[in-house]
Amino acid sequence: MALKKPDIEIYDTTLRDGTQGEGINFSVADKIRLAERFDAFGIHYIEGGWPGSNPRDIEFFQQAAKKRWRHSKIAAFGSTRRKKIAVEEDPQVALLLAAKTPVVTIFGKTWMLHVKEVLRTTASENIAMIADTVAFLKAKGRQVFYDAEHAFDGYKDEPEYALATWVAAAEAGADAVVLCDTNGGSLSSEVRRITQEALAKVPTRIGIHTHNDIGVGVANALEALEAGATQVQGTMNGYGERTGNCSLTSVIPNVALKMNKTCVPARSLPKLHELSHFVDEIANMRHDPRRPWVGSTAFAHKGGMHVNAVQKVAHSFEHSEPEAVGNQRRILVSDLAGRSNVVMKAQELGFEVDNATPELKQILQRIKELEHEGYEFEAAEASMSLLIQKSLSHAETPFKVDAYHVTMRMDHDFAICQATIKVQVGEEVEHTVAEGDGPVNALDAALRRGLMRFFPRQLKPVKLTDYKVRILDSSGGTAAKTRVFIESTDGRESWSTVGAHDNIVEASLRALIDSFEYRLTRKKKS
Ligand SMILES: [Zn+2]
């Protein structure tokens, strides 16, 4: 099914330019999975790789050629022919045809500096290289995009020559000339002016490809689109070399919701948040909470006044509805918190409270005390939930740790830790001992062993999945020196807890206790 022609075409280069980013590596299977997701999302063009530079990319194109793509066209990327050689004899160009893609994107030189110093050829040979390659690929039935490398730097240096290279590509039949800010150092005003020049003088469509080196990658792409460019190239989550490419996870909602132009299908937009996380997951990159639109803090509110206003009228402190891109509003509880934060957070966690709930004052007081001790609840919702629940229900805790003892000895290069713990459940007391390769590991094992006698069914599936330690800055005004976050799972649900103390072992134990207690009391509630 072909999509209705959009105002702006989205050209994804996550699989090619995105893999230039530090720490980003995709297997062929990863690339196919990503391409399938982009296709389902409605991305118009997916650049799969550079067959001339990477054998792995050749394999991707072999697999991609056998698939039926519903919305996307697959593009192979390469360069213009080499100097002083006929285009049909250039092996790199032959590999572009062998990729059997409907679209081929080739890059060539705009900037005289590069023509002379890097290609070491003449102005006229460079233009012939561009025109020959575009015409050859067009004659083979391909849709051809011409990526004008260093377009803005080249234009600023020698505008007539830059324009001549773009016009050559267009006259040879290029379906679009894509202006690339390869070094990522151009200002938005320059991008707008030069895009306007290109639109006035180059007889084909204009596209834009930007990088984020000075922090304006997305802004530059939008400037070009507002000037009249109709294709934008970028990567998901802004992956790419140095500081990254223009991020499509920002460009797409900006085009759709701020510029009110069509790009991807409207039904896809609420899946953007999920897509961004999926791409992070495949790339094995940590999610950036501050990423515009799709980050976990993109619609998070902290200041008490803000929260109060958001509670009344959401758009008073939000530029768009978080749901439009599949994100959600979050209320952060912190020492800036007013009653409104706590009420909204408690409601979000499933408690029935409002501004008149009498326990509210006590909850707020307790949060402030704990935050002063070094606790932080923003990434530890289970600890927050426990705190509220205890205040509301006035119930006894399911168990108490009366005492514990941890020792460590080194045997050759191995640390062996032993923990002894005394837990109390009702009237009964249990003493247990366990070993581990670290103090926290040993404490976890001992506590778990002690509690298993009383709660075998609930605690058996519980596992620790992540453990993070933060050493706190003494200038931060907190009393404790160490904060520990623990993430646990029972295979169905995951939850995070926090502990803080001067001593790392005690901080860890507090987070562990919260984790087990959350699992035990949560079960009772439901
Ligand atoms: Zn690039």
Side-chain angles (χ1 to χ4, degrees), residues 273 277 287-302 318 327-330 332 378:
H273 175 259
H277 280 256
H287 169 73
D288 176 4
R290 278 185 289 275
R291 194 172 284 152
W293 291 99
V294 292
S296 57
T297 66
F299 298 95
H301 301 278
K302 192 166 183 173
E318 284 174 356
N327 209 340
Q328 57 183 13
R329 181 170 304 127
R330 281 173 60 234
L332 304 179
E378 279 148 23

Side-chain angles (χ1 to χ4, degrees), residues 278-296:
F278 177 81
V279 177
D280 274 340
E281 197 102 330
I282 299 287
N284 200 16
M285 296 296 279
R286 192 177 285 275
H287 169 73
D288 176 4
R290 278 185 289 275
R291 194 172 284 152
W293 291 99
V294 292
S296 57

Side-chain angles (χ1 to χ4, degrees), residues 13 16-17 147 180-182 209-211 233 241 245:
T13 180
R16 204 268 309 165
D17 230 3
D147 271 10
C180 302
D181 188 25
T182 310
H209 175 123
T210 57
H211 282 260
Q233 301 191 345
E241 62 191 316
N245 283 59

Side-chain angles (χ1 to χ4, degrees), residues 16 87 105 138 224 235 260 288 316 320 337 384 409 483 520:
R16 204 268 309 165
V87 64
T105 300
K138 281 307 291 178
T235 62
N260 290 314
D288 176 4
S316 61
S320 292
M384 182 78 228
R409 70 192 151 86
R483 179 192 300 142
L520 292 172

Side-chain angles (χ1 to χ4, degrees), residues 169-445:
E171 286 178 346
D175 296 279
V177 167
V178 181
L179 307 180
C180 302
D181 188 25
T182 310
N183 293 353
S186 298
L187 290 170
S188 299
S189 53
E190 296 168 331
V191 169
R192 176 182 281 263
R193 179 173 61 82
I194 295 168
T195 303
Q196 282 165 343
E197 276 293 294
L199 282 159
K201 298 192 172 137
V202 179
T204 189
R205 293 173 46 212
I206 298 297
I208 182 75
H209 175 123
T210 57
H211 282 260
N212 199 37
D213 293 78
I214 58 169
V216 292
V218 170
N220 282 357
L222 299 182
E223 280 295 328
L225 297 179
E226 290 208 306
T230 50
Q231 181 187 104
V232 54
Q233 301 191 345
T235 62
M236 293 299 167
N237 297 334
Y239 295 166
E241 62 191 316
R242 307 184 307 272
T243 57
N245 283 59
C246 143
S247 175
L248 291 180
T249 44
S250 293
V251 165
I252 291 170
N254 285 334
V255 168
L257 301 172
K258 301 292 178 183
M259 294 168 67
N260 290 314
K261 293 187 181 218
T262 58
C263 56
V264 298
R267 62 174 164 72
S268 290
L269 210 56
K271 295 179 188 147
L272 188 70
H273 175 259
E274 193 190 332
L275 179 70
S276 163
H277 280 256
F278 177 81
V279 177
D280 274 340
E281 197 102 330
I282 299 287
N284 200 16
M285 296 296 279
R286 192 177 285 275
H287 169 73
D288 176 4
R290 278 185 289 275
R291 194 172 284 152
W293 291 99
V294 292
S296 57
T297 66
F299 298 95
H301 301 278
K302 192 166 183 173
M305 290 259 292
H306 276 213
V307 171
N308 195 289
V310 166
Q311 217 175 357
K312 289 178 188 138
V313 193
H315 69 251
S316 61
F317 277 99
E318 284 174 356
H319 66 82
S320 292
E321 290 274 310
E323 294 81 11
V325 290
N327 209 340
Q328 57 183 13
R329 181 170 304 127
R330 281 173 60 234
I331 304 303
L332 304 179
V333 178
S334 79
D335 54 9
L336 295 176
R339 291 168 89 87
S340 319
N341 289 57
V342 177
V343 169
M344 275 180 88
K345 188 71 205 175
Q347 288 169 346
E348 193 187 300
L349 292 170
F351 295 100
E352 284 180 19
V353 293
D354 55 36
N355 281 315
T357 304
E359 288 87 355
L360 209 57
K361 203 175 158 199
Q362 185 202 337
I363 294 171
L364 203 57
Q365 185 58 33
R366 187 76 190 123
I367 290 169
K368 287 184 176 178
E369 281 167 21
L370 287 172
E371 283 193 329
H372 178 69
E373 282 180 34
Y375 280 72
E376 200 183 279
F377 292 100
E378 279 148 23
E381 298 200 327
S383 287
M384 182 78 228
S385 183
L386 265 179
L387 191 156
I388 296 172
Q389 185 181 308
K390 279 189 208 164
S391 304
L392 292 178
S393 69
H394 309 281
E396 282 292 307
T397 53
F399 66 88
K400 274 212 280 279
V401 172
D402 286 343
Y404 69 95
H405 179 83
V406 180
T407 59
M408 189 193 104
R409 70 192 151 86
M410 290 300 285
D411 192 342
H412 294 89
D413 261 351
F414 294 100
I416 300 168
C417 292
Q418 194 183 63
T420 313
I421 202 161
K422 186 168 141 194
V423 284
Q424 193 184 342
V425 178
E427 299 296 301
E428 290 190 71
V429 173
E430 180 80 12
H431 269 275
T432 44
V433 185
E435 282 193 343
D437 54 17
V440 178
N441 187 244
L443 260 182
D444 175 44

